Amino acid sequence: MFHRLPGVQSKRLAKTTYNDNSLLKIHSVTDGNALAADHSRHSLLQLIQQHQHQQGWILLIAPTYIPDKEWAEHYQLSLHNVLVVHQKQISNLELTIKQALSSASCKVVINFANQLDQQQFDSCRKLAIGNNTWFYQCEQTHQPQLAH
């Protein structure tokens, strides 16, 4: 954590912009009906709004955008119960997700990292249901790569 001296203004080196449309392909996998889960699409904004008053942590795993204070204030959200696991902190994605889904203090898990294979996905979905934890998987949209 960095501490600022009182009265010293700080500058942001880079401004992160947030486009909520880029996260519209997050779907819930907490119910037993996979077809219904596939049609349940949310954005990160909607998910935080929906779950911000729940007891427990909202865990973002390797998000492409990390919500900041300015974004939260703009949408009148509280980030006091939001935790972030960065991609570089993950050595085993499936284990990380399963540990979060098994934690009594974690009530919402949103995975932005690479998608799990079908067996891993089903296992995590069952674990979420069994532990009464919300689990969301963000579908990766592949952007066309530009040649330099």
Side-chain angles (χ1 to χ4, degrees), residues 48-113:
I48 292 177
Q49 285 173 333
Q50 177 181 345
H51 296 290
Q52 71 177 343
H53 299 293
Q54 258 184 283
Q55 293 291 330
W57 294 105
I58 299 172
L59 183 65
L60 308 180
I61 298 177
T64 52
Y65 170 78
I66 299 173
D68 60 14
K69 183 179 177 182
E70 184 180 311
W71 178 82
E73 287 175 353
H74 176 76
Y75 290 107
Q76 299 176 346
L77 298 173
S78 172
L79 298 178
H80 76 278
N81 63 338
V82 177
L83 292 176
V84 176
V85 176
H86 299 276
Q87 182 69 49
K88 64 184 176 185
Q89 296 171 310
I90 301 170
S91 59
N92 182 327
L93 177 61
E94 181 183 17
L95 181 61
T96 300
I97 293 172
K98 285 184 173 184
Q99 286 175 337
L101 292 173
S102 299
S103 170
S105 62
C106 191
K107 295 300 176 191
V108 180
V109 177
I110 307 171
N111 179 33
F112 292 87

Side-chain angles (χ1 to χ4, degrees), residues 110-126:
I110 307 171
N111 179 33
F112 292 87
N114 294 332
Q115 293 215 1
L116 304 170
D117 65 34
Q118 192 60 46
Q119 183 180 7
Q120 293 170 325
F121 186 81
D122 289 340
S123 175
C124 287
R125 182 178 60 82
K126 289 176 185 172

